[in-house]
Amino acid sequence: MATAHIESRKEDIGEIVLLPGDPLRAKYIAENFLEDYKLVNSVRNMYAYTGYYKGKMVTVFSSGMGIPSVGIYAYELFKFYDVKKIIRIGTCGTIHKDVKLLDVVLADSAYSVSTFPLLFDGDTDKEYPASSLLNNLISNKAVELGSNIHRGKIITSDVFDPYVDHDKFISNFPNEEFMASEMEAFGLFYLAKKLGRDATCLLTVVDSKYDKRSLTSEEREKSLNEMITLALESVI
């Protein structure tokens, strides 16, 4: 089994996939969280690793940035590799006053004005839900681990929001309230719905309209590790 973008054998991809955007983050997760892992994809340097977390087979597959990139990998994983569950794990900005730097956000749904669904099959919906199954697992595990997470609607944007005027950006959506802003979940959730799979998104907040501190690499790593652990513990 191989596709235009994935060289892996079908048996080398687990039914559960963690989907970071950054290929080096996929490598970091494999090296620091998985046992008996192996590199199963390096096409276009989109690294993927399959290993075991507490005896459970898990694949960590990088997706790149933006809906078009995540759309390619999510579609091929769902359609050709029979992946059942994908948890996107990444970073985000926030335009919500109650969400702080380094908080973790669990998306209940993703809103976007992207034309990805329209171009794919004529769908004009602007919001798609995350998997309630995965979100309930993650929420319950967060309580068990003592992790404080925010749940709610996020916005998937085609622009990197720190580069634009936040007030002008949010004024485009006067009747919406978003916990976080990122660039991939909308496409992932759309494909999961279309193909009858489960997908959700966990995000660590690294940019905020209300807090302009520069985070240290140690602060980012600690918070990201907590998010990664929460995702892994939830799927076993």
Side-chain angles (χ1 to χ4, degrees), residues 29 51 60 62 70 73 108 123 130 132 143 157 162 229:
I29 294 169
V60 184
S62 51
V70 78
Y73 293 101
D108 280 328
D123 196 326
S132 58
V143 172
S157 176
T229 300

Coordinates of all heavy atoms in Angstrom, one line a residue, residues 29 51 60 62 70 73 108 123 130 132 143 157 162 229:
I29 N 7.9 13.3 19.6 CA 6.9 12.4 20.3 C 7.3 11.0 20.3 O 7.3 10.3 21.3 CB 5.5 12.6 19.7 CG1 5.0 14.0 19.9 CG2 4.5 11.6 20.3 CD1 3.7 14.4 19.1
G51 N 4.7 3.2 16.9 CA 5.3 2.5 18.1 C 4.2 2.2 19.0 O 3.0 2.1 18.7
V60 N 2.2 8.4 14.9 CA 2.3 9.8 15.0 C 2.7 10.3 13.6 O 3.8 9.9 13.1 CB 3.4 10.3 16.0 CG1 3.4 11.8 16.1 CG2 3.1 9.7 17.4
S62 N 3.0 13.5 10.8 CA 3.0 15.0 10.6 C 2.1 15.3 9.4 O 1.9 14.6 8.5 CB 4.4 15.5 10.4 OG 5.0 14.8 9.4
V70 N -3.3 19.3 5.6 CA -3.9 18.3 6.5 C -4.9 17.5 5.7 O -5.2 16.3 6.0 CB -4.5 19.0 7.7 CG1 -5.8 19.6 7.5 CG2 -4.6 18.0 8.9
Y73 N -3.3 14.4 4.0 CA -2.9 13.3 4.9 C -4.1 12.7 5.6 O -4.1 11.5 5.7 CB -1.8 13.8 5.8 CG -0.6 14.2 5.1 CD1 -0.2 15.5 4.8 CD2 0.3 13.1 4.6 CE1 0.9 15.8 4.0 CE2 1.4 13.4 3.8 CZ 1.7 14.8 3.6 OH 2.8 15.0 2.8
D108 N -14.6 21.5 20.4 CA -15.9 20.8 20.2 C -16.4 20.9 18.8 O -17.1 20.0 18.3 CB -17.0 21.5 21.1 CG -16.9 21.0 22.6 OD1 -16.6 19.8 22.8 OD2 -17.2 21.8 23.5
D123 N -20.2 21.0 -0.5 CA -20.7 21.2 0.8 C -20.4 22.7 1.2 O -19.3 23.2 1.1 CB -20.1 20.3 1.9 CG -20.8 20.2 3.2 OD1 -21.4 21.3 3.6 OD2 -20.8 19.2 3.8
A130 N -16.4 18.1 16.3 CA -15.4 17.0 16.6 C -16.1 15.8 17.1 O -17.3 15.8 17.3 CB -14.5 17.6 17.7
S132 N -17.6 13.3 19.4 CA -18.0 13.3 20.8 C -17.4 12.1 21.6 O -17.1 12.2 22.8 CB -19.6 13.3 20.9 OG -20.1 12.1 20.2
V143 N -9.8 15.0 33.7 CA -10.2 15.1 35.1 C -9.3 14.1 35.9 O -8.8 14.4 37.0 CB -11.7 14.7 35.2 CG1 -12.1 14.6 36.7 CG2 -12.5 15.8 34.6
S157 N -8.4 29.2 10.4 CA -8.2 30.4 9.5 C -7.1 30.0 8.5 O -6.2 29.2 8.7 CB -7.7 31.6 10.3 OG -7.4 32.7 9.5
P162 N -1.5 36.0 14.5 CA -0.6 37.0 15.0 C -0.2 38.1 14.0 O 0.3 39.1 14.4 CB 0.6 36.2 15.6 CG 0.1 34.9 15.9 CD -0.9 34.6 14.7
T229 N 0.7 13.9 26.5 CA 0.4 12.9 27.4 C -1.1 12.7 27.5 O -1.6 11.5 27.6 CB 1.0 13.2 28.8 OG1 2.4 13.3 28.7 CG2 0.6 12.1 29.8

